Amino acid sequence: MTAVIGVLVIVIVVFAIVTLLRSIRIVPQQRMDVVERLGKYKRTLTPGLNVLVPFVDAVRSKVDMREQVVSFPPQPVITSDNLVVSIDTVLYFKVVDPVRATYEISNFLQAIEQLTVTTLRNVIGSLDLERALTSREEINRHLSTVLDETTGRWGIKVTRVEIKAIEPPPSIRDSMEKQMRAERERRATILNAEGHKQAQILTAEGEKQAAVLRADGDRQSRILQAEGQAKAIRTVFDAIHTANPSQKVLAYQYLQALPQIANGSANKVWIVPTELTKALEGLGGALGGLANMAGDVPRASVNADEVEREAAAAAQAAADAAAQVDEQVRVAEAQVSGDPDRTAALPAPEPIPPSAALGGADYNGVAERERA
């Protein structure tokens, strides 16, 4: 009897403990439990300590109220240009009503996955591959709108839908890589051509400016040289006009310049003017004029015949010198032409009379005056 009473006490204690445990429910933060009483929805337990009626109330589901992320496996989708691409999607959602999420649909994750796949196929099927690759934002926005409208009655809020990857077939990827490579090469060629064009333009501009500067410098140099030569000629001309030299002085200077003209190594042709005799006449007149200016007038005691002989000797010496110069001219011309017979090409100079070499009538007048 005592043993039976002990067993009964133990059973009562265990029952009390079990009853107590089933009547007390602790719900953590960001979770809500749906409670049913005899199979019918009774209430939703909020986070904290909650008391249930043991053996009458039961927790149907525990709903996580936090935002969740679900990554769906790649799905094959056909584009409008009949290309099969594989698309990975990522879904962000949260439960806003645990009661509807529990009773409106049996498995909302599977329902969201299937809805995402069908919506994605509808959207991608209206786009070609190029637009599908470049219109991710538009696709995400369309998916979010459709999923939010459908899952709203399930007590679920779709916050974001992202397309993680769009993988075209390998052959299409190779073609796209070749196309991209060709496009990049075309851009590089265009950039190189533009750079070469700009370089040529800049080089031409630089050469143009350099040519203009060189031409301007040459012009300035020529102007300065011309101005210097003009000043030099003007100075010489002014000096000559100021000195007012006679024809005899100029003839004497011309005779002095003849050896210098003939002395050059590059002179192959000599030009003997026809005025050589006139120059010699001027030389004689100049000698007579110098004698008059120096006061070297023959005295009466000088014999006139002796003076005439000396004058004749001087004239003969001048004529010999002129003949020698003429002979040198003929020899030089023959050397240039290679024909010795051409020495007769130049006319022989006219003989110079002693009276012309010594001043002609001027010297006769002086002699007559001295005889008187």
Side-chain angles (χ1 to χ4, degrees), residues 15-49:
F15 179 76
I17 293 173
V18 172
T19 303
L20 181 62
L21 292 176
R22 291 180 63 89
S23 61
I24 297 174
R25 176 71 62 177
I26 299 175
V27 180
Q29 186 67 29
Q30 291 296 328
R31 199 185 80 181
M32 299 184 74
D33 297 347
V34 178
V35 178
E36 294 179 348
R37 179 170 291 180
L38 300 177
K40 182 180 179 180
Y41 171 74
K42 177 62 178 177
R43 62 181 179 137
T44 301
L45 301 181
T46 59
L49 179 63

PDB file of all heavy atoms in Angstrom, residues 15-49:
ATOM      1  N   PHE A  15       3.319  14.923 -13.444  1.00  0.00           N
ATOM      2  CA  PHE A  15       2.236  15.544 -14.202  1.00  0.00           C
ATOM      3  C   PHE A  15       2.193  17.049 -13.950  1.00  0.00           C
ATOM      4  O   PHE A  15       1.968  17.849 -14.874  1.00  0.00           O
ATOM      5  CB  PHE A  15       0.906  14.875 -13.815  1.00  0.00           C
ATOM      6  CG  PHE A  15      -0.261  15.450 -14.524  1.00  0.00           C
ATOM      7  CD1 PHE A  15      -0.513  15.148 -15.856  1.00  0.00           C
ATOM      8  CD2 PHE A  15      -1.118  16.330 -13.859  1.00  0.00           C
ATOM      9  CE1 PHE A  15      -1.604  15.702 -16.485  1.00  0.00           C
ATOM     10  CE2 PHE A  15      -2.200  16.881 -14.513  1.00  0.00           C
ATOM     11  CZ  PHE A  15      -2.441  16.575 -15.840  1.00  0.00           C
ATOM     12  N   ALA A  16       2.431  17.428 -12.692  1.00  0.00           N
ATOM     13  CA  ALA A  16       2.409  18.859 -12.366  1.00  0.00           C
ATOM     14  C   ALA A  16       3.555  19.586 -13.071  1.00  0.00           C
ATOM     15  O   ALA A  16       3.383  20.702 -13.610  1.00  0.00           O
ATOM     16  CB  ALA A  16       2.506  19.042 -10.862  1.00  0.00           C
ATOM     17  N   ILE A  17       4.714  18.929 -13.101  1.00  0.00           N
ATOM     18  CA  ILE A  17       5.847  19.560 -13.767  1.00  0.00           C
ATOM     19  C   ILE A  17       5.590  19.685 -15.264  1.00  0.00           C
ATOM     20  O   ILE A  17       5.864  20.731 -15.887  1.00  0.00           O
ATOM     21  CB  ILE A  17       7.124  18.750 -13.485  1.00  0.00           C
ATOM     22  CG1 ILE A  17       7.496  18.836 -11.983  1.00  0.00           C
ATOM     23  CG2 ILE A  17       8.285  19.258 -14.343  1.00  0.00           C
ATOM     24  CD1 ILE A  17       8.645  17.933 -11.596  1.00  0.00           C
ATOM     25  N   VAL A  18       5.089  18.648 -15.886  1.00  0.00           N
ATOM     26  CA  VAL A  18       4.794  18.697 -17.315  1.00  0.00           C
ATOM     27  C   VAL A  18       3.739  19.741 -17.620  1.00  0.00           C
ATOM     28  O   VAL A  18       3.827  20.500 -18.605  1.00  0.00           O
ATOM     29  CB  VAL A  18       4.375  17.298 -17.805  1.00  0.00           C
ATOM     30  CG1 VAL A  18       3.881  17.362 -19.253  1.00  0.00           C
ATOM     31  CG2 VAL A  18       5.545  16.318 -17.706  1.00  0.00           C
ATOM     32  N   THR A  19       2.728  19.806 -16.783  1.00  0.00           N
ATOM     33  CA  THR A  19       1.665  20.788 -16.985  1.00  0.00           C
ATOM     34  C   THR A  19       2.221  22.211 -16.876  1.00  0.00           C
ATOM     35  O   THR A  19       1.868  23.104 -17.665  1.00  0.00           O
ATOM     36  CB  THR A  19       0.558  20.577 -15.962  1.00  0.00           C
ATOM     37  OG1 THR A  19       0.049  19.219 -16.071  1.00  0.00           O
ATOM     38  CG2 THR A  19      -0.567  21.559 -16.169  1.00  0.00           C
ATOM     39  N   LEU A  20       3.104  22.388 -15.889  1.00  0.00           N
ATOM     40  CA  LEU A  20       3.701  23.703 -15.727  1.00  0.00           C
ATOM     41  C   LEU A  20       4.553  24.080 -16.942  1.00  0.00           C
ATOM     42  O   LEU A  20       4.513  25.219 -17.423  1.00  0.00           O
ATOM     43  CB  LEU A  20       4.549  23.731 -14.445  1.00  0.00           C
ATOM     44  CG  LEU A  20       5.239  25.063 -14.104  1.00  0.00           C
ATOM     45  CD1 LEU A  20       4.195  26.166 -13.874  1.00  0.00           C
ATOM     46  CD2 LEU A  20       6.117  24.914 -12.868  1.00  0.00           C
ATOM     47  N   LEU A  21       5.313  23.131 -17.444  1.00  0.00           N
ATOM     48  CA  LEU A  21       6.145  23.410 -18.608  1.00  0.00           C
ATOM     49  C   LEU A  21       5.311  23.708 -19.846  1.00  0.00           C
ATOM     50  O   LEU A  21       5.673  24.571 -20.656  1.00  0.00           O
ATOM     51  CB  LEU A  21       7.086  22.227 -18.875  1.00  0.00           C
ATOM     52  CG  LEU A  21       8.190  21.975 -17.826  1.00  0.00           C
ATOM     53  CD1 LEU A  21       8.980  20.729 -18.152  1.00  0.00           C
ATOM     54  CD2 LEU A  21       9.105  23.182 -17.718  1.00  0.00           C
ATOM     55  N   ARG A  22       4.218  23.043 -20.013  1.00  0.00           N
ATOM     56  CA  ARG A  22       3.398  23.278 -21.190  1.00  0.00           C
ATOM     57  C   ARG A  22       2.586  24.558 -21.086  1.00  0.00           C
ATOM     58  O   ARG A  22       2.133  25.098 -22.095  1.00  0.00           O
ATOM     59  CB  ARG A  22       2.455  22.085 -21.418  1.00  0.00           C
ATOM     60  CG  ARG A  22       3.190  20.811 -21.847  1.00  0.00           C
ATOM     61  CD  ARG A  22       2.187  19.671 -22.042  1.00  0.00           C
ATOM     62  NE  ARG A  22       1.247  19.980 -23.132  1.00  0.00           N
ATOM     63  CZ  ARG A  22       1.458  19.686 -24.407  1.00  0.00           C
ATOM     64  NH1 ARG A  22       2.607  19.098 -24.782  1.00  0.00           N
ATOM     65  NH2 ARG A  22       0.565  19.993 -25.327  1.00  0.00           N
ATOM     66  N   SER A  23       2.412  25.047 -19.897  1.00  0.00           N
ATOM     67  CA  SER A  23       1.628  26.278 -19.737  1.00  0.00           C
ATOM     68  C   SER A  23       2.491  27.542 -19.823  1.00  0.00           C
ATOM     69  O   SER A  23       1.959  28.640 -19.976  1.00  0.00           O
ATOM     70  CB  SER A  23       0.898  26.249 -18.383  1.00  0.00           C
ATOM     71  OG  SER A  23       1.839  26.177 -17.319  1.00  0.00           O
ATOM     72  N   ILE A  24       3.771  27.394 -19.731  1.00  0.00           N
ATOM     73  CA  ILE A  24       4.671  28.548 -19.785  1.00  0.00           C
ATOM     74  C   ILE A  24       5.453  28.474 -21.111  1.00  0.00           C
ATOM     75  O   ILE A  24       6.070  27.460 -21.427  1.00  0.00           O
ATOM     76  CB  ILE A  24       5.635  28.558 -18.585  1.00  0.00           C
ATOM     77  CG1 ILE A  24       4.842  28.706 -17.268  1.00  0.00           C
ATOM     78  CG2 ILE A  24       6.648  29.692 -18.734  1.00  0.00           C
ATOM     79  CD1 ILE A  24       5.702  28.583 -16.032  1.00  0.00           C
ATOM     80  N   ARG A  25       5.444  29.591 -21.883  1.00  0.00           N
ATOM     81  CA  ARG A  25       6.143  29.648 -23.167  1.00  0.00           C
ATOM     82  C   ARG A  25       6.959  30.946 -23.219  1.00  0.00           C
ATOM     83  O   ARG A  25       6.420  32.041 -23.035  1.00  0.00           O
ATOM     84  CB  ARG A  25       5.149  29.614 -24.320  1.00  0.00           C
ATOM     85  CG  ARG A  25       5.746  29.759 -25.675  1.00  0.00           C
ATOM     86  CD  ARG A  25       6.530  28.517 -26.092  1.00  0.00           C
ATOM     87  NE  ARG A  25       5.659  27.351 -26.164  1.00  0.00           N
ATOM     88  CZ  ARG A  25       6.049  26.138 -26.552  1.00  0.00           C
ATOM     89  NH1 ARG A  25       7.317  25.928 -26.866  1.00  0.00           N
ATOM     90  NH2 ARG A  25       5.190  25.120 -26.565  1.00  0.00           N
ATOM     91  N   ILE A  26       8.243  30.826 -23.439  1.00  0.00           N
ATOM     92  CA  ILE A  26       9.133  31.989 -23.568  1.00  0.00           C
ATOM     93  C   ILE A  26       9.470  32.163 -25.052  1.00  0.00           C
ATOM     94  O   ILE A  26      10.055  31.279 -25.682  1.00  0.00           O
ATOM     95  CB  ILE A  26      10.415  31.807 -22.745  1.00  0.00           C
ATOM     96  CG1 ILE A  26      10.072  31.650 -21.252  1.00  0.00           C
ATOM     97  CG2 ILE A  26      11.366  32.987 -22.968  1.00  0.00           C
ATOM     98  CD1 ILE A  26      11.267  31.352 -20.372  1.00  0.00           C
ATOM     99  N   VAL A  27       9.112  33.313 -25.617  1.00  0.00           N
ATOM    100  CA  VAL A  27       9.337  33.621 -27.037  1.00  0.00           C
ATOM    101  C   VAL A  27      10.498  34.596 -27.145  1.00  0.00           C
ATOM    102  O   VAL A  27      10.466  35.663 -26.504  1.00  0.00           O
ATOM    103  CB  VAL A  27       8.073  34.212 -27.685  1.00  0.00           C
ATOM    104  CG1 VAL A  27       8.326  34.529 -29.157  1.00  0.00           C
ATOM    105  CG2 VAL A  27       6.902  33.255 -27.516  1.00  0.00           C
ATOM    106  N   PRO A  28      11.540  34.282 -27.941  1.00  0.00           N
ATOM    107  CA  PRO A  28      12.677  35.220 -28.090  1.00  0.00           C
ATOM    108  C   PRO A  28      12.295  36.421 -28.953  1.00  0.00           C
ATOM    109  O   PRO A  28      11.254  36.436 -29.612  1.00  0.00           O
ATOM    110  CB  PRO A  28      13.749  34.361 -28.745  1.00  0.00           C
ATOM    111  CG  PRO A  28      13.007  33.298 -29.465  1.00  0.00           C
ATOM    112  CD  PRO A  28      11.760  33.024 -28.668  1.00  0.00           C
ATOM    113  N   GLN A  29      13.206  37.396 -28.948  1.00  0.00           N
ATOM    114  CA  GLN A  29      12.995  38.625 -29.729  1.00  0.00           C
ATOM    115  C   GLN A  29      13.021  38.320 -31.229  1.00  0.00           C
ATOM    116  O   GLN A  29      13.726  37.423 -31.677  1.00  0.00           O
ATOM    117  CB  GLN A  29      14.081  39.647 -29.368  1.00  0.00           C
ATOM    118  CG  GLN A  29      13.906  41.008 -29.998  1.00  0.00           C
ATOM    119  CD  GLN A  29      12.691  41.744 -29.464  1.00  0.00           C
ATOM    120  OE1 GLN A  29      12.294  41.534 -28.293  1.00  0.00           O
ATOM    121  NE2 GLN A  29      12.075  42.576 -30.282  1.00  0.00           N
ATOM    122  N   GLN A  30      12.231  39.085 -32.004  1.00  0.00           N
ATOM    123  CA  GLN A  30      12.136  38.951 -33.460  1.00  0.00           C
ATOM    124  C   GLN A  30      11.601  37.577 -33.875  1.00  0.00           C
ATOM    125  O   GLN A  30      11.939  37.071 -34.941  1.00  0.00           O
ATOM    126  CB  GLN A  30      13.491  39.212 -34.127  1.00  0.00           C
ATOM    127  CG  GLN A  30      13.975  40.648 -34.054  1.00  0.00           C
ATOM    128  CD  GLN A  30      13.053  41.610 -34.805  1.00  0.00           C
ATOM    129  OE1 GLN A  30      12.439  41.260 -35.791  1.00  0.00           O
ATOM    130  NE2 GLN A  30      12.920  42.818 -34.277  1.00  0.00           N
ATOM    131  N   ARG A  31      10.704  37.018 -33.006  1.00  0.00           N
ATOM    132  CA  ARG A  31      10.012  35.804 -33.371  1.00  0.00           C
ATOM    133  C   ARG A  31       8.599  35.831 -32.803  1.00  0.00           C
ATOM    134  O   ARG A  31       8.380  36.357 -31.706  1.00  0.00           O
ATOM    135  CB  ARG A  31      10.740  34.567 -32.832  1.00  0.00           C
ATOM    136  CG  ARG A  31      10.340  33.277 -33.542  1.00  0.00           C
ATOM    137  CD  ARG A  31      10.992  32.074 -32.901  1.00  0.00           C
ATOM    138  NE  ARG A  31      10.254  31.681 -31.683  1.00  0.00           N
ATOM    139  CZ  ARG A  31      10.610  30.664 -30.899  1.00  0.00           C
ATOM    140  NH1 ARG A  31      11.701  29.960 -31.189  1.00  0.00           N
ATOM    141  NH2 ARG A  31       9.928  30.374 -29.808  1.00  0.00           N
ATOM    142  N   MET A  32       7.670  35.301 -33.553  1.00  0.00           N
ATOM    143  CA  MET A  32       6.276  35.255 -33.112  1.00  0.00           C
ATOM    144  C   MET A  32       5.751  33.845 -33.335  1.00  0.00           C
ATOM    145  O   MET A  32       6.007  33.255 -34.399  1.00  0.00           O
ATOM    146  CB  MET A  32       5.419  36.279 -33.871  1.00  0.00           C
ATOM    147  CG  MET A  32       5.877  37.719 -33.653  1.00  0.00           C
ATOM    148  SD  MET A  32       4.812  38.945 -34.431  1.00  0.00           S
ATOM    149  CE  MET A  32       3.396  38.875 -33.322  1.00  0.00           C
ATOM    150  N   ASP A  33       5.035  33.324 -32.314  1.00  0.00           N
ATOM    151  CA  ASP A  33       4.482  31.955 -32.371  1.00  0.00           C
ATOM    152  C   ASP A  33       2.969  32.015 -32.551  1.00  0.00           C
ATOM    153  O   ASP A  33       2.276  32.804 -31.894  1.00  0.00           O
ATOM    154  CB  ASP A  33       4.808  31.180 -31.093  1.00  0.00           C
ATOM    155  CG  ASP A  33       6.310  30.988 -30.917  1.00  0.00           C
ATOM    156  OD1 ASP A  33       7.046  31.230 -31.903  1.00  0.00           O
ATOM    157  OD2 ASP A  33       6.744  30.614 -29.812  1.00  0.00           O
ATOM    158  N   VAL A  34       2.489  31.204 -33.441  1.00  0.00           N
ATOM    159  CA  VAL A  34       1.043  31.110 -33.717  1.00  0.00           C
ATOM    160  C   VAL A  34       0.474  29.982 -32.842  1.00  0.00           C
ATOM    161  O   VAL A  34       0.929  28.825 -32.928  1.00  0.00           O
ATOM    162  CB  VAL A  34       0.790  30.841 -35.204  1.00  0.00           C
ATOM    163  CG1 VAL A  34      -0.709  30.688 -35.466  1.00  0.00           C
ATOM    164  CG2 VAL A  34       1.359  31.967 -36.044  1.00  0.00           C
ATOM    165  N   VAL A  35      -0.538  30.300 -31.992  1.00  0.00           N
ATOM    166  CA  VAL A  35      -1.111  29.356 -31.027  1.00  0.00           C
ATOM    167  C   VAL A  35      -2.513  28.958 -31.499  1.00  0.00           C
ATOM    168  O   VAL A  35      -3.318  29.815 -31.885  1.00  0.00           O
ATOM    169  CB  VAL A  35      -1.163  29.973 -29.623  1.00  0.00           C
ATOM    170  CG1 VAL A  35      -1.811  28.993 -28.622  1.00  0.00           C
ATOM    171  CG2 VAL A  35       0.231  30.350 -29.164  1.00  0.00           C
ATOM    172  N   GLU A  36      -2.770  27.655 -31.443  1.00  0.00           N
ATOM    173  CA  GLU A  36      -4.093  27.124 -31.757  1.00  0.00           C
ATOM    174  C   GLU A  36      -4.677  26.474 -30.499  1.00  0.00           C
ATOM    175  O   GLU A  36      -3.945  25.863 -29.717  1.00  0.00           O
ATOM    176  CB  GLU A  36      -3.997  26.085 -32.877  1.00  0.00           C
ATOM    177  CG  GLU A  36      -3.565  26.638 -34.213  1.00  0.00           C
ATOM    178  CD  GLU A  36      -3.470  25.554 -35.263  1.00  0.00           C
ATOM    179  OE1 GLU A  36      -3.513  24.362 -34.879  1.00  0.00           O
ATOM    180  OE2 GLU A  36      -3.322  25.878 -36.465  1.00  0.00           O
ATOM    181  N   ARG A  37      -5.949  26.651 -30.352  1.00  0.00           N
ATOM    182  CA  ARG A  37      -6.674  26.016 -29.243  1.00  0.00           C
ATOM    183  C   ARG A  37      -7.664  25.017 -29.849  1.00  0.00           C
ATOM    184  O   ARG A  37      -8.594  25.407 -30.565  1.00  0.00           O
ATOM    185  CB  ARG A  37      -7.402  27.039 -28.408  1.00  0.00           C
ATOM    186  CG  ARG A  37      -8.200  26.413 -27.247  1.00  0.00           C
ATOM    187  CD  ARG A  37      -8.710  27.483 -26.315  1.00  0.00           C
ATOM    188  NE  ARG A  37      -7.609  28.111 -25.577  1.00  0.00           N
ATOM    189  CZ  ARG A  37      -7.777  29.094 -24.690  1.00  0.00           C
ATOM    190  NH1 ARG A  37      -8.998  29.578 -24.455  1.00  0.00           N
ATOM    191  NH2 ARG A  37      -6.734  29.597 -24.062  1.00  0.00           N
ATOM    192  N   LEU A  38      -7.388  23.773 -29.574  1.00  0.00           N
ATOM    193  CA  LEU A  38      -8.202  22.671 -30.086  1.00  0.00           C
ATOM    194  C   LEU A  38      -8.293  22.720 -31.619  1.00  0.00           C
ATOM    195  O   LEU A  38      -9.348  22.544 -32.222  1.00  0.00           O
ATOM    196  CB  LEU A  38      -9.591  22.681 -29.462  1.00  0.00           C
ATOM    197  CG  LEU A  38      -9.638  22.542 -27.934  1.00  0.00           C
ATOM    198  CD1 LEU A  38     -11.079  22.649 -27.423  1.00  0.00           C
ATOM    199  CD2 LEU A  38      -9.002  21.252 -27.488  1.00  0.00           C
ATOM    200  N   GLY A  39      -7.119  23.061 -32.278  1.00  0.00           N
ATOM    201  CA  GLY A  39      -7.031  23.056 -33.720  1.00  0.00           C
ATOM    202  C   GLY A  39      -7.467  24.340 -34.397  1.00  0.00           C
ATOM    203  O   GLY A  39      -7.432  24.424 -35.632  1.00  0.00           O
ATOM    204  N   LYS A  40      -7.866  25.336 -33.630  1.00  0.00           N
ATOM    205  CA  LYS A  40      -8.318  26.599 -34.201  1.00  0.00           C
ATOM    206  C   LYS A  40      -7.382  27.711 -33.732  1.00  0.00           C
ATOM    207  O   LYS A  40      -6.917  27.700 -32.590  1.00  0.00           O
ATOM    208  CB  LYS A  40      -9.748  26.880 -33.765  1.00  0.00           C
ATOM    209  CG  LYS A  40     -10.336  28.147 -34.355  1.00  0.00           C
ATOM    210  CD  LYS A  40     -11.758  28.357 -33.862  1.00  0.00           C
ATOM    211  CE  LYS A  40     -12.360  29.630 -34.420  1.00  0.00           C
ATOM    212  NZ  LYS A  40     -13.750  29.859 -33.941  1.00  0.00           N
ATOM    213  N   TYR A  41      -7.148  28.672 -34.655  1.00  0.00           N
ATOM    214  CA  TYR A  41      -6.260  29.776 -34.289  1.00  0.00           C
ATOM    215  C   TYR A  41      -6.811  30.514 -33.098  1.00  0.00           C
ATOM    216  O   TYR A  41      -7.990  30.899 -33.066  1.00  0.00           O
ATOM    217  CB  TYR A  41      -6.101  30.739 -35.468  1.00  0.00           C
ATOM    218  CG  TYR A  41      -5.371  32.003 -35.101  1.00  0.00           C
ATOM    219  CD1 TYR A  41      -3.991  32.003 -34.883  1.00  0.00           C
ATOM    220  CD2 TYR A  41      -6.082  33.192 -34.944  1.00  0.00           C
ATOM    221  CE1 TYR A  41      -3.339  33.158 -34.518  1.00  0.00           C
ATOM    222  CE2 TYR A  41      -5.415  34.361 -34.580  1.00  0.00           C
ATOM    223  CZ  TYR A  41      -4.041  34.345 -34.369  1.00  0.00           C
ATOM    224  OH  TYR A  41      -3.402  35.492 -33.991  1.00  0.00           O
ATOM    225  N   LYS A  42      -5.929  30.701 -32.091  1.00  0.00           N
ATOM    226  CA  LYS A  42      -6.337  31.396 -30.881  1.00  0.00           C
ATOM    227  C   LYS A  42      -5.673  32.768 -30.794  1.00  0.00           C
ATOM    228  O   LYS A  42      -6.354  33.783 -30.664  1.00  0.00           O
ATOM    229  CB  LYS A  42      -6.000  30.529 -29.663  1.00  0.00           C
ATOM    230  CG  LYS A  42      -6.316  31.160 -28.324  1.00  0.00           C
ATOM    231  CD  LYS A  42      -7.821  31.444 -28.199  1.00  0.00           C
ATOM    232  CE  LYS A  42      -8.150  32.038 -26.838  1.00  0.00           C
ATOM    233  NZ  LYS A  42      -9.596  32.390 -26.740  1.00  0.00           N
ATOM    234  N   ARG A  43      -4.353  32.776 -30.821  1.00  0.00           N
ATOM    235  CA  ARG A  43      -3.625  34.039 -30.688  1.00  0.00           C
ATOM    236  C   ARG A  43      -2.199  33.855 -31.174  1.00  0.00           C
ATOM    237  O   ARG A  43      -1.768  32.741 -31.470  1.00  0.00           O
ATOM    238  CB  ARG A  43      -3.661  34.530 -29.249  1.00  0.00           C
ATOM    239  CG  ARG A  43      -2.992  33.597 -28.256  1.00  0.00           C
ATOM    240  CD  ARG A  43      -3.079  34.103 -26.840  1.00  0.00           C
ATOM    241  NE  ARG A  43      -2.462  33.183 -25.893  1.00  0.00           N
ATOM    242  CZ  ARG A  43      -1.688  33.548 -24.898  1.00  0.00           C
ATOM    243  NH1 ARG A  43      -1.376  34.833 -24.739  1.00  0.00           N
ATOM    244  NH2 ARG A  43      -1.200  32.661 -24.030  1.00  0.00           N
ATOM    245  N   THR A  44      -1.468  34.990 -31.163  1.00  0.00           N
ATOM    246  CA  THR A  44      -0.070  34.992 -31.554  1.00  0.00           C
ATOM    247  C   THR A  44       0.758  35.428 -30.374  1.00  0.00           C
ATOM    248  O   THR A  44       0.499  36.489 -29.763  1.00  0.00           O
ATOM    249  CB  THR A  44       0.173  35.960 -32.731  1.00  0.00           C
ATOM    250  OG1 THR A  44      -0.652  35.559 -33.833  1.00  0.00           O
ATOM    251  CG2 THR A  44       1.623  35.935 -33.161  1.00  0.00           C
ATOM    252  N   LEU A  45       1.722  34.630 -30.016  1.00  0.00           N
ATOM    253  CA  LEU A  45       2.565  34.933 -28.875  1.00  0.00           C
ATOM    254  C   LEU A  45       3.630  35.954 -29.270  1.00  0.00           C
ATOM    255  O   LEU A  45       4.327  35.792 -30.278  1.00  0.00           O
ATOM    256  CB  LEU A  45       3.224  33.658 -28.351  1.00  0.00           C
ATOM    257  CG  LEU A  45       2.279  32.530 -27.901  1.00  0.00           C
ATOM    258  CD1 LEU A  45       3.081  31.347 -27.377  1.00  0.00           C
ATOM    259  CD2 LEU A  45       1.309  33.036 -26.828  1.00  0.00           C
ATOM    260  N   THR A  46       3.737  36.984 -28.458  1.00  0.00           N
ATOM    261  CA  THR A  46       4.753  38.014 -28.670  1.00  0.00           C
ATOM    262  C   THR A  46       6.013  37.648 -27.910  1.00  0.00           C
ATOM    263  O   THR A  46       5.986  36.783 -27.016  1.00  0.00           O
ATOM    264  CB  THR A  46       4.227  39.364 -28.213  1.00  0.00           C
ATOM    265  OG1 THR A  46       3.872  39.293 -26.827  1.00  0.00           O
ATOM    266  CG2 THR A  46       2.995  39.777 -29.029  1.00  0.00           C
ATOM    267  N   PRO A  47       7.144  38.300 -28.233  1.00  0.00           N
ATOM    268  CA  PRO A  47       8.379  37.985 -27.502  1.00  0.00           C
ATOM    269  C   PRO A  47       8.216  38.237 -25.999  1.00  0.00           C
ATOM    270  O   PRO A  47       7.624  39.227 -25.567  1.00  0.00           O
ATOM    271  CB  PRO A  47       9.405  38.922 -28.129  1.00  0.00           C
ATOM    272  CG  PRO A  47       8.879  39.207 -29.490  1.00  0.00           C
ATOM    273  CD  PRO A  47       7.374  39.232 -29.329  1.00  0.00           C
ATOM    274  N   GLY A  48       8.723  37.300 -25.188  1.00  0.00           N
ATOM    275  CA  GLY A  48       8.662  37.400 -23.740  1.00  0.00           C
ATOM    276  C   GLY A  48       8.044  36.144 -23.145  1.00  0.00           C
ATOM    277  O   GLY A  48       8.018  35.074 -23.769  1.00  0.00           O
ATOM    278  N   LEU A  49       7.546  36.262 -21.914  1.00  0.00           N
ATOM    279  CA  LEU A  49       6.937  35.143 -21.185  1.00  0.00           C
ATOM    280  C   LEU A  49       5.443  35.096 -21.491  1.00  0.00           C
ATOM    281  O   LEU A  49       4.737  36.087 -21.323  1.00  0.00           O
ATOM    282  CB  LEU A  49       7.173  35.301 -19.686  1.00  0.00           C
ATOM    283  CG  LEU A  49       6.582  34.210 -18.783  1.00  0.00           C
ATOM    284  CD1 LEU A  49       7.227  32.841 -19.101  1.00  0.00           C
ATOM    285  CD2 LEU A  49       6.790  34.571 -17.315  1.00  0.00           C
TER     286      LEU A  49
END
